[in-house]
Amino acid sequence: MLKSKTFVKKTRSGGVLKIVREHYLRDDIWCGSEVCKECKDEAPVLQEHACIESNLCSFPHYLIPDTNVVLHQIDILEDPLIRNVIILQIVLQEVRHRSAPVYKRIKDAIHEKEKHFYTFTNEHHRETFIEREQGETANDRNDRAIRVAAKWYTDHLAKKTNGGSLKVVLLTDDRANKEKAEQYGLVVYRCEEYIKSLIGNPELMDRLALQPDDQNEITGSKLLFPEHLPLSRIQSGIKNGMFLQGTFHANRDNYLEGKVFINREGEEINEVLLQGLQNLNRAVHQDVVAIELFPKERWVAPSSVVLQDDSPNDEDAEEDETENKLKGVPSDSSVLKPTGRVVGIIKRNWRPFCGMLSQSMIKEATRHLFTPADRRIPRIRIETRQAANLVRQRIMVAIDGWPKNSRYPNGHFVKNLGSAGDKETETEVLLLEHDVPHQPFSQAVLSFLPKMPWSITEEDLKVRADLRHLCVCSVDPPGCTDIDDTLHCRELENGNLEVGVHIADVSHFIRPGNALDQEAASRGTTVYLCGKRIDMVPELLSSNLCSLRSNVERLAFSCIWEMNHNAEILKAHFTKSIINSKASLTYAEAQMRIDDSTMKDDITKSLRGLNRLAKILKGRRIAKGALTLSSPEVRFHIDSETHDPIDMQSKELKETNSMVEEFMLLANISVAQKIYDEFSECALLRKHPSPPPSNYDILIKAAKSRDLNIHTDSAKALADSLNNATVENFPYFNTLLRILATRCMMQAVYFCSGMDSDFHHYGLASPIYTHFTSPIRRYADIIVHRLLAVAINADSTYPDLMDKHKQSALCNNLNYRHKMAQYAQRASVAFHTQVVQTPKKPDFYDLWNNCCNFLIYGVFHLNPSAILQE
């Protein structure tokens, strides 16, 4: 059966375009229930005996939630107790348009077999599709479609069970929708009403998101905040310049202060300071807000005070009390900043937050304050009946809303993560807080892995260069199982040298667009924590088939140069290949071979040749202005039984570390130039912007504490200054300056060549750069492999690869994932540093902890020059 939808839309040129879309209806769409034997011969999803103990529903039943229930009560729907749920197509479509995170969560629930969630395509079923009536809003039409589908299910199941007890229960929190459903003869309840009726599951009540009516009941009558302006006024105000739009960043060390970074290009003011609760006006970190700029006479300087919210648990602090905390605080009046106030929220960026419960001091109270682990997030008021069990536990809480008459936002309990201080619990917290995807790979993803046993085929041998005879080897940290790269160096008959970098051919196993590829693109990077690794791709690839282990044949992507003995490139060649690594060495083992003059084997000769060339390449890079910076790297000694860290020491870097680094850099630069030459509009590259002069203030100040000057006019000037910045009897001073210099740098980012004109990599002093050498742990490298394969006619292209806008969107996600992975890794090191029980060098530990705090939070416990003097 065919329907057609006709509508008109305005074109860019001002014309009107009539669009007709065909809409097919069917009468053979399956209901998904075990009780129905006629609809379709497939494995049923909804169980016949769908029983759950309830005071309201003593009969077996399926649940049909409306759109708002799915959007606001997703934590309830994810609970293992809630099963046999029908998600209507119209609901899924609305959720997809309104909240991408909730859409992903409900899709995950649908794919979980134990949940028995079934998607019913009501918009294509002949008996459940409805036309929009004249004068009916889209929202009202969708509500009516939900009621029609629920009615069809009710009648259909009654027919299949001969009037049996299996029923359908519609869940809606919309009063009008509920009344109309009751008139329609449906079994319908409010979500809270239904959850309260469940027998023996009181903890589910804690997970209920508060509705606006409920939030008003638990707040005071006094208005604490100004009313937010409606979106229509905000949009017109932004258009006429009355308001500015930007992203709110809360101050980690002062809860009464924050900044708004203005999003619009060409704006004279790019940062606005907010001070005081009323001016912050219920903005939460990362919200997109509209602000009103104060006149210049009301501009203030940022406060230098560290101020944490310590108001009582059981009552709202008075507004003037908190405002007084800012008064009398010294600030630098010479640095007045544009100042303003929040007039409205354009987009909330709330997520579930990890933290701890502050139990109310009132006996038998059910309302308590939750303190998030991230100090930029305000405390959240929640209702729970299990407060006594949640004290000293790490828990997750979601914000439901923030009424204008409430000092704190209202929220609800999501789940208990475990005991505070426990290593596994704290690791889970830092993964969640840094938004690191760490769930096990789904069956849909694993289904695209190669079937074992796997081996190289005759077809592979025909289309790849056979390099199994070459003496290639890998050099990695101890215990490395995901070996991305191997190298070789040999002398040619003409007296020149052949040098090869051979990288795991991950793109052979991960094909564009499938579930495995989508998951790798979403994760973006492997995350390395202390004692734990969160893989970007399943272990079968990362530690086995793609890992270039010794004495096994592996598929590779090779970058091979012909060089003279002065490390000058004469030719470059790229090819898909087959290799057989002759040795998997650690940095220490490779260094020992190079240093041992008695060793004359081919592997050692290759390593010596590579090391000699690497020194020349590094000297040439540094002469061009490449920076040699430092970041504190440590190795933890883990107890073999408890797996707890018992000691730590700084990592010792050897010549072989630098040797591998130089050839990885050279390969990345060579590949970057190749893919840009072939695809100037869609090459995925990596750049490092030069920092603004103000970024260097803390470095210059620290150097002056020892009467040293740091010049920052160029990367070369900075590199030379750092080389000369040494202090007698203080060998670590230069290292600490380089750590500070690292903190001054801008973030290196991925970008699409067709969307940017600045390619320069400041830190490496290279005009072009990309990532090619670590495809097991970086998705960017997989895309670069695909581009290079197309460039050398080793593989075919696909539309998304040549779409610069999609490439740019992908780069944004990769940049976010890499940044959060870095923060998670640093937080893991900081936590394990605190866990170490037997420090042998307290002074080193104190200094290390301060460096960790600086790198993670941007602040020292002491001032920089005092730290350096220690």
Side-chain angles (χ1 to χ4, degrees), residues 467-474 486-487 548-552 578-585 593 601-603:
L467 306 181
R468 289 175 291 180
H469 62 285
L470 292 179
C471 189
V472 305
C473 66
S474 61
T486 58
L487 305 100
L548 305 181
R549 299 181 297 181
S550 57
N551 302 314
V552 289
I578 301 171
I579 65 167
N580 189 324
S581 174
K582 302 303 183 284
S584 297
L585 305 174
R593 281 176 173 268
D601 58 280
D602 290 342
I603 294 174

Side-chain angles (χ1 to χ4, degrees), residues 623-817:
K624 288 180 180 177
L627 299 175
T628 305
L629 303 179
S630 289
S631 59
E633 290 192 71
V634 295
R635 181 176 304 285
F636 289 93
H637 296 287
I638 306 295
D639 187 283
S640 59
E641 294 182 3
T642 66
H643 301 291
D644 289 329
I646 54 176
D647 195 10
M648 73 178 213
Q649 64 186 48
S650 57
K651 289 183 182 177
E652 183 185 352
L653 298 181
K654 302 181 181 296
E655 280 186 0
T656 45
N657 291 81
S658 178
M659 176 190 79
V660 173
E661 180 187 12
E662 288 306 317
F663 285 106
M664 296 307 109
L665 293 175
L666 189 62
N668 288 335
I669 292 169
S670 296
V671 170
Q673 192 63 57
K674 176 67 176 178
I675 62 174
Y676 177 66
D677 290 343
E678 294 289 335
F679 309 109
S680 61
E681 286 293 300
C682 58
L684 192 154
L685 303 176
R686 187 164 176 82
K687 68 174 182 177
H688 183 208
S690 56
S694 59
N695 277 30
Y696 291 116
D697 289 349
I698 190 171
L699 175 65
I700 292 168
K701 185 176 179 181
K704 281 185 177 176
S705 70
R706 291 301 177 107
D707 299 323
L708 295 170
N709 293 319
I710 298 291
H711 301 287
T712 60
D713 306 338
S714 65
K716 180 76 168 66
L718 175 61
D720 291 343
S721 297
L722 289 173
N723 289 339
N724 296 327
T726 57
V727 174
E728 193 175 348
N729 300 323
F730 190 177
Y732 291 111
F733 182 83
N734 188 266
T735 301
L736 289 173
L737 278 186
R738 292 180 189 274
I739 292 171
L740 280 177
T742 303
R743 183 69 174 82
C744 297
M745 294 296 115
M746 302 289 285
Q747 187 83 22
V749 292
Y750 297 110
F751 68 102
C752 178
S753 58
M755 305 293 283
D756 205 327
S757 57
D758 178 18
F759 295 5
H760 187 71
H761 196 293
Y762 178 81
L764 297 175
S766 176
I768 194 167
Y769 192 66
T770 194
H771 274 162
F772 164 77
T773 55
S774 295
I776 293 177
R777 61 183 180 89
R778 290 188 306 233
Y779 187 76
D781 302 54
I782 293 178
I783 295 295
V784 170
H785 276 227
R786 290 173 181 169
L787 287 165
L788 184 60
V790 175
I792 64 171
N793 298 314
D795 205 345
S796 56
T797 186
Y798 57 99
D800 285 5
L801 192 67
M802 298 294 134
D803 188 325
K804 65 180 181 181
H805 297 286
K806 289 186 177 178
Q807 286 278 50
S808 185
L810 173 64
C811 288
N812 291 338
N813 178 62
L814 295 180
N815 290 330
Y816 171 73
R817 291 296 185 202

Side-chain angles (χ1 to χ4, degrees), residues 230-240 243 290 346:
L231 198 57
S232 56
R233 278 195 61 189
I234 289 173
Q235 288 172 337
S236 62
I238 291 172
K239 192 173 181 180
N240 63 32
F243 304 138
I346 296 170

